[in-house]
Amino acid sequence: MKIQLTINDRPHSVDVDPDTPLLWVLRETLGMTGTKFGCGMALCGACSVHLDGELVRACARPVGSIGGKRITTIEGLDGSAIGRAVQQAWIDLDVVQCGWCQPGQCMAAANLIATHPQPTDADIDAGLSGNLCRCGTYPRIRAAVHRAAELARRGGGA
């Protein structure tokens, strides 16, 4: 079945079963491998993307349920000032260790900053609570979210 998607502000037409998880359409059909597979049960956050600005888990979202909504992946995060600020903060503070969870962490951070421009530690803990980091870089992630929020308030990242 042909399904029309808008991903990172670009139209895509995919011929897949509507029950196929969005994650596999992104990674396998379209070659957008930035969004990661972590648990397959929407528990770890590695597959987080934005769907019309809402943070969702791509591993548990059937592509047929997307409709005319806009999808933003880690590859398109730099399309907004907040996204650029998040990416710059992650670079500035050298957040990444293994890096597997970081696309989902960045997507969650951008979503949080969009709704909480000056997040507290408690806001960050709550906003990113569903995103797991096996390397335990949580202190660097929290610092990067604060930095990204500051950069976003000043007009963006790099």
Side-chain angles (χ1 to χ4, degrees), residues 44 95 97-98 101-102 105 131-138 141:
C44 73
V95 173
Q97 189 162 323
C98 88
C101 71
Q102 296 307 316
Q105 300 282 0
N131 289 71
L132 303 178
C133 176
R134 293 177 184 166
C135 299
T137 63
Y138 298 113
I141 291 168

Side-chain angles (χ1 to χ4, degrees), residues 48-135:
S48 296
V49 298
H50 295 168
L51 189 58
D52 276 350
E54 177 188 346
L55 189 68
V56 300
R57 306 293 194 242
C59 74
R61 183 65 57 127
V63 71
S65 73
I66 305 288
K69 297 180 179 175
R70 294 178 55 227
I71 301 159
T72 303
T73 68
I74 191 69
E75 290 92 347
L77 192 60
D78 65 350
S80 73
I82 290 173
R84 288 187 298 277
V86 167
Q87 290 175 333
Q88 189 61 52
W90 253 248
I91 292 166
D92 291 350
L93 299 179
D94 197 22
V95 173
V96 178
Q97 189 162 323
C98 88
W100 197 258
C101 71
Q102 296 307 316
Q105 300 282 0
C106 289
M107 298 305 289
N111 187 70
L112 174 67
I113 294 167
T115 58
H116 293 81
Q118 292 185 284
T120 64
D121 285 349
D123 293 333
I124 294 167
D125 292 348
L128 276 69
S129 67
N131 289 71
L132 303 178
C133 176
R134 293 177 184 166
C135 299

Side-chain angles (χ1 to χ4, degrees), residues 1-3 14-18:
M1 173 179 191
K2 286 274 189 190
I3 297 174
V14 295
D15 190 5
V16 297
D17 184 302

